[in-house]
Amino acid sequence: MSFFRSEQSSKVTCEIVAQEELERALQGASMMNRTLVISRVNKEQAEENGMLRLFLRSLQEGEGTEFLIKHILFVAVDEIAFDRCTILKLNCYRLPSMEPLNPSEELVLSGGLDMMWGTGLLLGEVLRHGYSFIFTDLDVMWLRNPFPMLSYAGEDMQIYNGEPNDSSHFFFGSGFYSVAANNRTIALFDQLYAARIDSKIMNGKDMLTFLLRSISRGAFQRLGLKVHVLDAVYFGGLSQEAIDITKVTTVHADCCPSEEAKLADLTALVDAWKTYHRKSNVTLLVRNACTQSMNVNEDELGRALQGASMANKTVIISVLNKAYVEENGMLDLFLRSLREGEDTGLLIKHLVLVAVDKTAFDRCRALGLHCFQLVTDGVDFSKEELYMSDDFIKMMWSRTLFLGNVLKRGYNFIFTDMDVMWLRNPFSQLHHRGEDLEISCDRYNGRPFDQSNSINTGFYFVASNNKTIALFDEWYAASRTSKGMKEQDVLYSMKSQGAFRRLGMKVRFLDTAYFSGFCQDSRDSRRVTTVHANCCRSIKAKLTDLKRVLQVWKTHTGTSIRWPPHTACAHSWG
């Protein structure tokens, strides 16, 4: 399998030249035994005082590691990173762009997936050229030369998972691993590329998700691979409670979502190493920034969920910011709908409002509601975020990460946008046939289990189980590979690519006759449960038209009523 594929004869010469360039790069970095170290760098990491600089510093100050710099091949994923790498006189190779396999892939391949699949395919080509390698993320600090700690008993692959000599589960970290070049490992990386062709894991966490998860299906055994699991004492991570500096070889900033936090904690680690590494019996505890960047105060969240929970561990969740808490604003209208709806007033005590700024949190607390403050580093969510603005997209992804954490705590939930009016208690219409996910539609095609239905993430019910947790993990992971796309569009893409079926999920699409919206009004107000101001761009327009909905609803006497036209929302698009 060639790294550069093309059926066009005009590309053959370019392909040969590219192969020659790769061979020169590999020869330049290789040790005498045809082994090298490979890392990947992008323009953000290559910035002054960025992750690349810190990574090099760890090698320069580590024990017996500085000479390894000349044996590292830095795979630049963009021109800026490549130029920076060249200026630093490192061994550099520019990762070529990949051509999309199909039109649906083209939308998301332009960013992180291009990088992930391109790197995975490149690594397979490195093996095919006969070179063994250690792959390392740049957020792995090399404090000692790791080669003496790697086993040499004919292993094909050596990788860290935090549980020495235990491969019974597949929670491996793909930030550091060693691979020997042979037919077995080449076949393994061929399977990785084949997964892209199948388009079954387009939104995986990283380029090794398929490879690592395939352990549970016996892929390593089937290929005859000998895999050694690295001891976390020597190959550690910031997720550990403590790091024994007298033994540790590498430290990975795992379980840390923020680049800024990684830099802070890894800098502290390297500083501590420089000061203390010649002393004995020293234990390092350096995780403050990474812990804070998780943005979740475990005790406060636990109290909020427990306080709002129904007997079956189900809660209602909505997100609140400063723009929503203004007097006679969206929060007041949302609570009004609950108070005036049929059998909905009692649900307020089961509502958790997730405030994304202090003003919203303070207003929530003043109203005596169940509140939790979620903070995202470097982002101000206090102002109105117009539909599809950059901060709007960031807010949606922050929400997805938080909701996945709620599922991991064992809580089922309804998520509702605040521009959803609750006119009747929706639970009578939900979760009667063991569904894992029930989600609203902009437009409903009349078939509740037909996955060609559109979806809207402004209102949905999720049951907490392994399938839904895996879905939210994959969904949030896709934020790194779907730049410019909001989370709803990414979930739709995952649905279209068979993610629900692959995870074994039972998903029902909610009938707009009951779960209505401005895109498709309910045909019968006697059955309607919720009304969502979808197909609307601004808060002002939503408030105007939703107030009209509530005014008409108050006249409801059991007979069918006619909804008012959504004039303000129609005009909100300009």
Side-chain angles (χ1 to χ4, degrees):
M1 175 174 52
S2 174
F3 178 50
F4 304 96
R5 286 173 173 76
S6 174
E7 296 179 356
Q8 302 176 26
S9 59
S10 62
K11 294 186 178 180
V12 172
T13 301
C14 293
E15 180 177 338
I16 293 172
V17 171
Q19 290 285 351
E20 291 175 349
E21 289 179 357
L22 176 60
E23 179 61 34
R24 283 196 296 270
L26 294 171
Q27 287 181 0
S30 176
M31 302 176 193
M32 292 184 65
N33 62 352
R34 293 180 70 85
T35 299
L36 70 156
V37 180
I38 299 176
S39 192
R40 183 177 58 211
V41 59
N42 61 28
K43 62 182 180 181
E44 289 79 16
Q45 294 169 324
E47 291 177 354
E48 192 70 30
N49 299 320
M51 196 62 75
L52 174 61
R53 178 64 73 180
L54 186 61
F55 176 73
L56 293 172
R57 179 190 163 194
S58 77
L59 286 156
Q60 290 160 351
E61 298 180 1
E63 289 183 4
T65 53
E66 187 169 13
F67 83 98
L68 293 172
I69 295 176
K70 66 182 180 181
H71 297 298
I72 302 176
L73 179 62
F74 291 93
V75 179
V77 301
D78 53 65
E79 287 299 332
I80 294 176
F82 181 75
D83 292 344
R84 178 65 176 164
C85 177
T86 304
I87 290 171
L88 292 173
K89 298 182 179 180
L90 303 170
N91 296 310
C92 313
Y93 179 75
R94 174 70 167 94
L95 183 69
S97 296
M98 298 176 67
E99 295 182 1
L101 295 174
N102 52 60
S104 63
E105 183 183 338
E106 186 171 10
L107 182 62
V108 292
L109 193 57
S110 59
L113 282 177
D114 192 351
M115 176 180 69
M116 292 189 300
W117 287 116
T119 304
L121 195 53
L122 172 64
L123 294 178
E125 196 69 11
V126 170
L127 296 174
R128 202 177 303 279
H129 279 246
Y131 290 88
S132 305
F133 62 83
I134 289 178
F135 179 84
T136 177
D137 279 342
L138 288 183
D139 59 358
V140 177
M141 300 295 99
W142 287 44
L143 305 182
R144 291 183 172 92
N145 186 340
F147 283 98
M149 298 306 304
L150 295 174
S151 181
Y152 293 97
E155 295 88 356
D156 300 296
M157 189 172 188
Q158 302 180 73
I159 193 164
Y160 159 72
N161 81 336
E163 297 288 343
N165 302 313
D166 177 10
S167 59
S168 60
H169 59 77
F170 49 86
F171 294 104
F172 291 86
S174 58
F176 183 96
Y177 55 95
S178 171
V179 186
N182 56 48
N183 289 337
R184 295 181 295 275
T185 55
I186 291 170
L188 187 64
F189 276 77
D190 281 355
Q191 286 194 8
L192 175 65
Y193 183 79
R196 174 178 179 252
I197 295 175
D198 292 341
S199 298
K200 292 179 180 178
I201 59 166
M202 286 298 298
N203 295 289
K205 284 186 177 181
D206 56 45
M207 65 93 188
L208 275 182
T209 298
F210 171 74
L211 184 153
L212 299 177
R213 287 187 175 181
S214 63
I215 295 170
S216 63
R217 298 189 293 273
F220 285 178
Q221 293 84 349
R222 184 173 62 254
L223 292 171
L225 284 159
K226 185 175 182 180
V227 179
H228 173 69
V229 180
L230 297 173
D231 191 333
V233 172
Y234 301 100
F235 299 89
L238 294 183
S239 58
Q240 297 169 230
E241 292 185 1
I243 299 170
D244 186 346
I245 207 166
T246 66
K247 297 179 180 178
V248 71
T249 297
T250 61
V251 179
H252 185 202
D254 51 357
C255 299
C256 188
S258 163
E259 192 78 2
E260 181 181 359
K262 288 181 181 182
L263 279 168
D265 281 353
L266 290 176
T267 299
L269 174 78
V270 174
D271 288 343
W273 164 258
K274 185 176 181 179
T275 304
Y276 298 115
H277 77 276
R278 298 190 184 280
K279 297 182 180 181
S280 60
N281 300 321
V282 175
T283 297
L284 290 182
L285 293 170
V286 284
R287 296 191 291 130
N288 291 336
C290 281
T291 300
Q292 292 170 4
S293 72
M294 298 291 187
N295 300 324
V296 177
N297 182 311
E298 298 297 326
D299 291 338
E300 289 185 8
L301 177 57
R303 284 194 293 269
L305 292 171
Q306 187 175 6
S309 178
M310 302 174 191
N312 62 352
K313 291 200 74 172
T314 298
V315 294
I316 302 163
I317 299 175
S318 193
V319 173
L320 181 67
N321 71 356
K322 180 180 179 181
Y324 283 2
V325 300
E326 295 175 356
E327 189 174 357
N328 296 318
M330 195 62 74
L331 173 61
D332 289 343
L333 190 64
F334 176 70
L335 293 174
R336 175 188 160 193
S337 78
L338 286 163
R339 294 188 185 106
E340 296 180 359
E342 292 182 6
D343 195 27
T344 53
L346 75 163
L347 296 176
I348 295 176
K349 67 180 181 181
H350 299 300
L351 172 67
V352 177
L353 292 180
V354 180
V356 296
D357 57 72
K358 191 175 186 303
T359 300
F361 181 71
D362 291 344
R363 176 76 198 286
C364 178
R365 294 291 295 270
L367 292 172
L369 303 170
H370 298 293
C371 315
F372 176 75
Q373 185 171 1
L374 180 68
V375 180
T376 301
D377 290 343
V379 182
D380 177 15
F381 289 146
S382 61
K383 62 183 184 302
E384 175 184 358
E385 305 301 347
L386 284 178
Y387 181 75
M388 288 306 294
S389 66
D390 287 344
D391 280 353
F392 173 88
I393 292 172
K394 290 176 184 177
M395 184 188 293
M396 297 302 101
W397 283 117
S398 178
R399 181 177 89 180
T400 303
L401 177 63
F402 171 80
L403 294 174
N405 191 38
V406 172
L407 292 175
K408 290 172 183 177
R409 290 168 170 267
Y411 287 90
N412 316 308
F413 62 81
I414 288 179
F415 178 82
T416 177
D417 277 345
M418 205 152 282
D419 59 352
V420 177
M421 301 294 97
W422 288 44
L423 306 182
R424 291 184 172 92
N425 188 330
F427 283 99
S428 61
Q429 299 291 333
L430 297 173
H431 201 50
H432 296 301
R433 299 180 182 178
E435 296 90 351
D436 301 297
L437 171 66
E438 298 173 273
I439 189 165
S440 61
C441 304
D442 283 336
R443 290 176 176 82
Y444 177 67
N445 67 13
R447 297 181 293 275
F449 296 99
D450 182 359
Q451 298 203 12
S452 67
N453 275 295
S454 65
I455 58 173
N456 189 298
T457 53
F459 183 95
Y460 56 93
F461 171 84
V462 189
S464 174
N465 56 48
N466 290 336
K467 292 176 285 189
T468 57
I469 290 170
L471 176 71
F472 272 71
D473 280 348
E474 289 193 21
W475 189 10
Y476 180 73
S479 65
R480 299 195 297 266
T481 64
S482 308
K483 187 175 181 180
M485 294 176 67
K486 68 179 185 295
E487 35 71 67
Q488 177 176 298
D489 292 339
V490 171
L491 184 62
Y492 183 87
S493 177
M494 291 171 65
K495 170 183 73 73
S496 300
Q497 293 162 10
F500 295 163
R501 294 189 184 93
R502 174 169 48 81
L503 293 170
M505 294 179 61
K506 185 174 184 180
V507 178
R508 182 162 73 100
F509 301 90
L510 298 174
D511 190 339
T512 52
Y514 298 94
F515 299 90
S516 182
F518 289 177
C519 298
Q520 187 178 57
D521 284 319
S522 172
R523 299 174 300 278
D524 188 349
S525 62
R526 293 170 298 184
R527 296 190 292 169
V528 71
T529 299
T530 60
V531 176
H532 185 194
N534 50 5
C535 296
C536 191
R537 190 164 187 258
S538 70
I539 292 178
K540 181 179 180 181
K542 291 180 180 185
L543 282 169
T544 299
D545 284 348
L546 286 174
K547 285 177 181 178
R548 291 172 180 163
V549 168
L550 286 184
Q551 288 170 357
V552 170
W553 170 252
K554 287 183 70 174
T555 68
H556 169 68
T557 58
T559 58
S560 183
I561 55 178
R562 184 175 181 178
W563 301 116
H566 314 305
T567 306
C569 282
H571 292 161
S572 68
W573 298 95

